[in-house]
Amino acid sequence: MDLRTLTEINAPAGHEQALRRALLEEVRSMGLIPYLDRMGNVVCVKEGTGPAPRKRVMISAHMDEVGLIVVSATEDGFLRVTPVGGVDPRVVISKRVLVGDDNLPGVIGATAIHLQSAADRRHVLGYNEIYVDIGAKDKAEAEGKAPKGTYISFDTKYVEYGDGFACAKAFDDRVGVHTILEVLKEDYPVDVIAVFSSEEEVGCRGAKGAAFSTEPDMGIVLEGTTCNDLGDVPDPLQVCKAGQGVAVSFMDGASIANRELFKKALALGQEQNIPCQVKSSVSGGNDGGVIQRAREGVPVVVLSVPCRYIHSPSTVIKLSDAKSQLDLTKALLRAI
């Protein structure tokens, strides 16, 4: 399954069914036996080729993406929404969306600039001032087509452009999902516990249960991270740079990397000519935090693909960075 297919499947946090079905089918086609746990994670254990007892290494990537959810409808038929995950309201105005499981087309709207005062134009709109237009004639029609609790996804097609770049929604974290699928095609001396986790964008909920139940000896978290490498950003403020390889985190807002795994990842990158860089910002958080704290504790390292405009309808990555994430993950699994 390629990145285009993965990113164009709609799976906002808590409503990952479409992607879950696709992943179950894909993993089964490899001759493996995946299962669903109570949190809706897709889990697959691929036994290693090394002598027993073997290390059990959990590799995790989250299925879910950021999106919106319907909270009410106005009398004239517009949908009021709130974000699912961290979505800056400044990036959603005028974007096309797909509403509900039937992919009803809609547009995110706000008061036209012609009707705004100077004060209005300096004001950042909140979600209480944003609506989704689905063409309904009144409240009854809007509620009939999109009742409260209906999920909304961004309508963004995958496109490759420029010098090896790609733009899509949900690279965070379909790029990690794609890496796991590629990893499962090969054998390793360790037992690989592949976890496609649920609900990361709303508090890393799925990975917590998966790490508790599978009892890994260590964890490798495959993510996307903001890179902030635009031309007018001073170097000290750039988190990482697109095109310079997978970003290895020493610490973020949720976890501290195991020092041996962190150093091993960087050493393998140098030894095997796998482009990698150190993530320079201690910010954000991901499934590494809940995996690290499972049971008596799990050593973890996070390998992230740099993403421009993360958590927006149009995220950009350099495809070579996705390849380096895959190559470094394979190298770690073989070297542990």
Side-chain angles (χ1 to χ4, degrees):
M1 191 180 300
D2 59 15
L3 273 173
R4 179 189 301 274
T5 302
L6 286 168
T7 59
E8 292 184 359
I9 294 173
N10 296 331
H15 195 64
E16 300 97 344
Q17 286 92 323
L19 183 56
R20 194 152 41 226
R21 287 191 294 267
L23 289 174
L24 287 168
E25 182 177 345
E26 184 74 7
V27 174
R28 286 173 183 141
S29 73
M30 300 178 187
L32 301 171
I33 305 174
Y35 66 90
L36 291 178
D37 65 15
R38 292 179 183 175
M39 279 300 297
N41 302 303
V42 176
V43 183
C44 174
V45 180
K46 183 169 186 176
E47 293 187 356
T49 57
R54 292 182 294 270
K55 293 288 187 183
R56 292 169 55 82
V57 183
M58 176 177 172
I59 56 173
S60 176
H62 66 89
M63 292 181 289
D64 60 313
E65 64 193 89
V66 296
L68 307 170
I69 197 166
V70 177
V71 296
S72 65
T74 66
E75 291 300 325
D76 44 3
F78 297 106
L79 302 176
R80 293 297 185 188
V81 297
T82 197
V84 178
V87 188
D88 188 335
R90 291 174 295 182
V91 305
V92 303
I93 302 300
S94 300
K95 300 301 187 295
R96 295 171 60 174
V97 293
L98 297 172
V99 180
D101 292 338
D102 294 331
N103 289 334
L104 186 70
V107 176
I108 300 174
T111 303
I113 192 169
H114 311 74
L115 304 178
Q116 295 176 15
S117 66
D120 289 335
R121 289 192 288 272
R122 291 192 296 270
H123 169 65
V124 176
L125 296 175
Y127 280 99
N128 61 325
E129 302 166 282
I130 292 171
Y131 56 84
V132 174
D133 183 354
I134 59 171
K137 65 179 182 292
D138 55 26
K139 183 176 183 178
E141 183 179 358
E143 289 181 336
K145 292 181 175 180
K148 293 178 183 179
T150 299
Y151 280 92
I152 298 176
S153 299
F154 299 118
D155 185 8
T156 308
K157 299 300 182 184
Y158 175 97
V159 61
E160 296 180 9
Y161 72 104
D163 183 23
F165 286 90
C167 175
K169 70 173 180 65
F171 274 135
D172 175 25
D173 184 30
R174 304 298 159 74
V175 65
V177 169
H178 181 261
T179 293
I180 290 183
L181 291 174
E182 293 299 306
V183 163
L184 289 174
K185 294 178 180 179
E186 299 182 18
D187 294 324
Y188 306 91
V190 296
D191 290 346
V192 175
I193 306 168
V195 176
F196 304 95
S197 64
S198 65
E199 300 186 27
E200 189 270 352
E201 297 292 4
V202 289
C204 303
R205 299 173 185 179
K208 182 176 183 179
F212 184 91
S213 64
T214 60
E215 299 187 68
D217 294 304
M218 59 193 69
I220 302 172
V221 178
L222 305 174
E223 261 287 7
T225 189
T226 182
C227 50
N228 201 31
D229 65 343
L230 303 183
D232 59 349
V233 178
D235 278 352
L237 300 181
Q238 295 188 11
V239 177
C240 51
K241 295 184 179 181
Q244 294 193 6
V246 62
V248 186
S249 299
F250 56 85
M251 180 180 177
D252 58 35
S255 67
I256 298 175
N258 174 268
R259 294 302 295 181
E260 294 305 314
L261 286 174
F262 173 73
K263 290 187 289 186
K264 188 68 173 177
L266 295 177
L268 285 168
Q270 186 172 23
E271 292 167 9
Q272 301 187 23
N273 294 316
I274 302 170
C276 61
Q277 57 188 308
V278 176
K279 181 180 173 181
S280 62
S281 174
V282 180
S283 58
N286 50 61
D287 284 341
V290 295
I291 295 170
Q292 185 182 57
R293 295 191 290 272
R295 292 188 180 267
E296 67 268 32
V298 179
V300 297
V301 67
V302 181
L303 309 179
S304 300
V305 171
C307 294
R308 293 175 179 165
Y309 331 120
I310 199 168
H311 283 202
S312 81
S314 301
T315 300
V316 170
I317 67 167
K318 186 109 184 218
L319 293 170
S320 60
D321 294 336
K323 183 178 185 304
S324 69
Q325 184 191 61
L326 172 60
D327 292 344
L328 191 55
T329 303
K330 290 180 180 179
L332 269 173
L333 290 171
R334 292 188 174 114
I336 291 170

